[in-house]
Amino acid sequence: MTGADSPESTGSPNSAGSSDSPDTDPSAPETYDEFAASRSDPRFTDWLRERAGDSWDDATAHRLTRELAADELADDVFRQYLVQDYAFVETLVGVFGHAVGTAPTMESKSELVSFLGVLTDDEDDYFLRAFDALDVPESVYSDPKTTPATRAFIDLLERAAGQGGYAETLAVLVPVEWVYLSWATDAADAGSHPDESPSRFYLSEWVELHAVDDFAAFVEWLRTELDREGAAASPRRQRRLEQLFRRTVELEVAFFDEAYELGRGSSRPGDGRW
């Protein structure tokens, strides 16, 4: 992904990505049936990750996450990223809420409701403390000017939830959370010694929030849900789920990229393009 797309270009869930995207791994089986036939214990989400191709590596090993883990990320860049992420989280909460309504069992609904509590409590508390430390005015984070990547991301999630079913909603939620688990786990492993962790709390806690066992267990549960729903879907619907998953990963990359573009546009430290 070389840049952010406008929200208009995201299209509907049926056109969330093209099957011949240059970022698709050419060695990845085109259909889930082909993928499953060559494996003893196939997972639908493993096929989706393979189909994401280079975009998956671009998202999980992005410059932003690497610099964050190494305590080298400029405050201006993280400031811009965090403001946009806060704007995105409001939509994410709504999509998780939609998933609660479409989940097939009470157990599934309960799992999703529990995670909603994390998003609206622990994570929201982190955002507010980080904004205070980074001198981000409430007027900025409460009503931010969203960027093209943020708007495209929000549009994609809303369309997937509004025009699809439980499986389509999972197809965008799984990569959103799985990408963060992947890069944060790598960051936590690389900084296992206290002296190697980021010294700024808003960087170290951002890693910790996404590298804890509870979050890993939730992502695994989300994947299992999509594994079941995806494997049972028709080939046409499986393709739609794959397109949604891949498009979500591409937008994660664009979202990270834009933080640097905004940081470079600052008129003074901290201003960005607010």
Side-chain angles (χ1 to χ4, degrees):
M1 186 78 175
T2 57
D5 292 334
S6 67
E8 288 79 5
S9 70
T10 62
S12 68
N14 287 344
S15 59
S18 65
S19 59
D20 58 351
S21 168
D23 289 331
T24 304
D25 184 350
S27 67
E30 289 193 11
T31 69
Y32 177 64
D33 284 348
E34 293 175 8
F35 175 85
S38 62
R39 287 159 177 79
S40 59
D41 188 21
R43 297 190 67 172
F44 187 74
T45 52
D46 282 338
W47 175 65
L48 295 177
R49 181 177 58 183
E50 284 197 20
R51 291 294 297 170
D54 291 342
S55 292
W56 180 264
D57 292 334
D58 292 342
T60 58
H62 194 277
R63 173 188 173 189
L64 186 146
T65 64
R66 289 185 282 107
E67 291 184 351
L68 189 159
D71 204 12
E72 298 171 352
L73 188 62
D75 276 350
D76 277 348
V77 173
F78 191 65
R79 196 178 278 117
Q80 304 306 328
Y81 158 80
L82 209 62
V83 167
Q84 294 302 310
D85 199 60
Y86 197 58
F88 170 76
V89 165
E90 182 176 351
T91 297
L92 185 65
V93 167
V95 174
F96 267 107
H98 178 82
V100 172
T102 58
T105 67
M106 288 302 295
E107 180 183 0
S108 298
K109 294 178 188 296
S110 178
E111 288 283 350
L112 292 163
V113 167
S114 294
F115 186 67
L116 272 172
V118 174
L119 285 177
T120 58
D121 187 3
D122 295 351
E123 195 161 310
D124 191 64
D125 175 70
Y126 161 82
F127 274 112
L128 297 180
R129 288 185 293 106
F131 286 143
D132 183 60
L134 289 162
D135 295 323
V136 180
E138 183 178 358
S139 59
V140 170
Y141 67 74
S142 63
D143 186 25
K145 298 177 181 178
T146 54
T147 65
T150 302
R151 294 192 296 273
F153 223 149
I154 289 172
D155 182 75
L156 180 69
L157 264 65
E158 290 178 339
R159 287 176 181 269
Q163 298 179 9
Y166 186 55
E168 283 75 18
T169 304
L170 289 172
V172 293
L173 293 179
V174 167
V176 165
E177 305 302 341
W178 195 5
V179 163
Y180 273 68
L181 174 65
S182 296
W183 74 253
T185 300
D186 288 345
D189 289 344
S192 56
H193 192 279
D195 292 340
E196 298 171 340
S197 299
S199 58
R200 289 164 285 176
F201 84 85
Y202 42 84
L203 299 186
S204 60
E205 285 191 26
W206 195 234
V207 174
E208 292 166 7
L209 278 168
H210 299 99
V212 295
D213 291 343
D214 285 349
F215 183 62
F218 177 70
V219 173
E220 175 60 25
W221 177 84
L222 271 183
R223 288 186 58 194
T224 300
E225 290 287 284
L226 184 52
D227 287 338
R228 184 193 65 243
E229 296 289 324
S234 67
R236 181 178 180 181
R237 193 178 189 190
Q238 288 176 345
R239 176 61 68 193
R240 183 163 70 247
L241 299 176
E242 182 254 324
Q243 291 171 351
L244 284 167
F245 184 99
R246 177 154 42 87
R247 181 69 177 134
T248 302
V249 177
E250 291 171 350
L251 285 173
E252 285 283 13
V253 178
F255 192 81
F256 289 151
D257 286 346
E258 277 194 342
Y260 287 92
E261 296 169 13
L262 291 169
R264 287 197 298 270
S266 298
S267 59
R268 69 174 177 80
D271 274 354
R273 295 181 185 175
W274 297 342

